[in-house]
Amino acid sequence: MFNSTLVNEFLLTGFSEVWELRVLHTMLFLLMYLATLTGNLLIVTVITVDQRLHTPMYYFILNLSVWDMCYISVTVPKACVVFLLNNRVISVVGCAAQIFLVFLCASAELLLLTFMARDRYVAICQPLHYHVIMTPHVCVQMTLACVLSGLVYAGVHTVSTFRLSFCHSNVVHQFFCDIPSLLKLSCSNILVNEIVVFASSMIIAGCSFSFITMSYIHIFSTVLKFPTRRERRKAFSTCVPHILIFIIFLGSGAAVYLKPTSNSPLIQDMIISVFYCIIPPLLNPIIYSLRNKQIKEAIRRVMKRTLTSFR
């Protein structure tokens, strides 16, 4: 796969060459990384331990937390090394692995968010049939669909990118390996790659967006018919955050991938990439779980049980 590549390593880029700013960026990224790992690990532990949370909704939240930890771990640790130590070197194989894992995690998470919208639609619009439709078997099938689709999507993009020759430069103007930055370095004809990136992104993002939009149109029309304001507020509080994080995730990714490579400002893309690589995994625990009454009660029960066992 790498025979046509004329370089054997790439150099990643930080946001600034100023030492003080590099330290600041490292601290910010490290804090976001640790907060993401802590929040998501807490959610995984609580949902796994507490039998009361073994329902389809929390099953999807647990899977989302696992993907969040994997997703942010692909880019941020290496970025911190780049910022702090100025060790910018990444091998071609390492770069390919990073692209594959980023696409795998991003596409799987996007599909998982789509299936979560389906879960909320059934729970709110068809509550009497919820346990018949959202069976454990169906939930596992949805999870496998996320993984398999992500593997295919990531594999296609990784192979199509690294069949190119890279000879213009080996400096990737990004804090991690991503396809738009690499296409700028290629001396091959990249038109087919740009078409593949655009078309595949439109298909997966467009289908997810359409499905989620239709789901929430039905959800909101049903919620508005609820007899009490309290019930409506409770339903909206679980749905609106889902829409917001989906818009941030999808919108920031589209801003980078759904435009011609030549029209891509470097620093702007680096900043936007933070919003689809780091912000969603950071916010997901807060939006989906830590503000959830049942999750908070479960955390209290687990902590109380843990403290009791130590006495």
Side-chain angles (χ1 to χ4, degrees), residues 85-151:
L85 303 179
N86 204 30
N87 182 7
R88 305 191 295 153
V89 176
I90 184 170
S91 66
V92 173
V93 174
C95 190
Q98 198 171 50
I99 284 180
F100 179 84
L101 292 173
V102 165
F103 269 77
L104 169 62
C105 294
S107 56
E109 185 156 329
L110 182 62
L111 290 174
L112 190 57
L113 290 171
T114 305
F115 290 140
M116 288 174 71
R118 165 69 175 174
D119 174 71
R120 290 298 84 207
Y121 163 75
V122 176
I124 293 174
C125 300
Q126 299 176 314
L128 298 179
H129 302 284
Y130 181 74
H131 293 290
V132 176
I133 297 174
M134 300 302 296
T135 62
H137 183 65
V138 170
C139 293
V140 171
Q141 285 182 327
M142 289 180 171
T143 304
L144 289 176
C146 291
V147 176
L148 294 176
S149 300
L151 287 172

Side-chain angles (χ1 to χ4, degrees), residues 1 15 22-23 27 32 37 44 59 78 95 109 115 136 149-150 153-154 156 204 249 295 297:
M1 184 170 71
F15 288 95
R22 282 166 45 197
V23 172
M27 294 302 297
M32 288 189 289
L37 290 186
V44 170
Y59 169 81
K78 178 60 179 176
C95 190
E109 185 156 329
F115 290 140
S149 300
Y153 188 68
V156 167
I204 189 171
F249 184 42
I295 288 282
E297 289 176 351

Side-chain angles (χ1 to χ4, degrees), residues 140-202:
V140 171
Q141 285 182 327
M142 289 180 171
T143 304
L144 289 176
C146 291
V147 176
L148 294 176
S149 300
L151 287 172
V152 172
Y153 188 68
V156 167
H157 284 291
T158 305
V159 171
S160 66
T161 299
F162 284 90
R163 69 176 179 80
L164 301 173
S165 298
F166 300 99
C167 52
H168 289 164
S169 171
N170 70 336
V171 179
V172 180
H173 293 283
Q174 183 61 275
F175 61 87
F176 67 99
C177 284
D178 73 336
I179 290 178
S181 299
L182 284 177
L183 292 182
K184 295 177 183 178
L185 309 181
S186 176
C187 49
S188 305
N189 187 343
I190 63 171
L191 178 60
V192 173
N193 292 74
E194 289 186 318
I195 292 172
V196 169
V197 169
F198 181 85
S200 60
S201 299
M202 282 296 294

Side-chain angles (χ1 to χ4, degrees), residues 173-306:
H173 293 283
Q174 183 61 275
F175 61 87
F176 67 99
C177 284
D178 73 336
I179 290 178
S181 299
L182 284 177
L183 292 182
K184 295 177 183 178
L185 309 181
S186 176
C187 49
S188 305
N189 187 343
I190 63 171
L191 178 60
V192 173
N193 292 74
E194 289 186 318
I195 292 172
V196 169
V197 169
F198 181 85
S200 60
S201 299
M202 282 296 294
I203 290 171
I204 189 171
C207 290
S208 295
F209 179 78
S210 300
F211 189 89
I212 288 180
T213 300
M214 293 303 297
S215 296
Y216 277 108
I217 287 174
H218 289 295
I219 287 172
F220 289 148
S221 63
T222 301
V223 168
L224 291 174
K225 297 175 184 177
F226 285 0
T228 65
R229 182 179 297 179
R230 185 172 178 270
E231 289 178 321
R232 292 195 295 269
R233 188 185 302 116
K234 182 180 178 181
F236 279 124
S237 68
T238 61
C239 295
V240 172
H242 185 186
I243 296 173
L244 290 177
I245 200 68
F246 178 78
I247 290 173
I248 292 172
F249 184 42
L250 191 63
S252 56
V256 174
Y257 282 88
L258 297 184
K259 65 180 178 181
T261 303
S262 57
N263 298 334
S264 185
L266 302 180
I267 191 65
Q268 178 181 315
D269 283 355
M270 290 179 68
I271 294 172
I272 292 175
S273 65
V274 173
F275 286 91
Y276 66 82
C277 283
I278 299 176
I279 299 301
L282 175 66
L283 293 183
N284 280 340
I286 301 171
I287 287 177
Y288 292 114
S289 304
L290 299 181
R291 58 190 295 276
N292 182 294
K293 183 179 178 181
Q294 287 178 285
I295 288 282
K296 288 191 285 189
E297 289 176 351
I299 291 173
R300 293 192 195 99
R301 287 195 296 269
V302 171
M303 291 181 66
K304 185 178 179 180
R305 194 182 311 163
T306 304

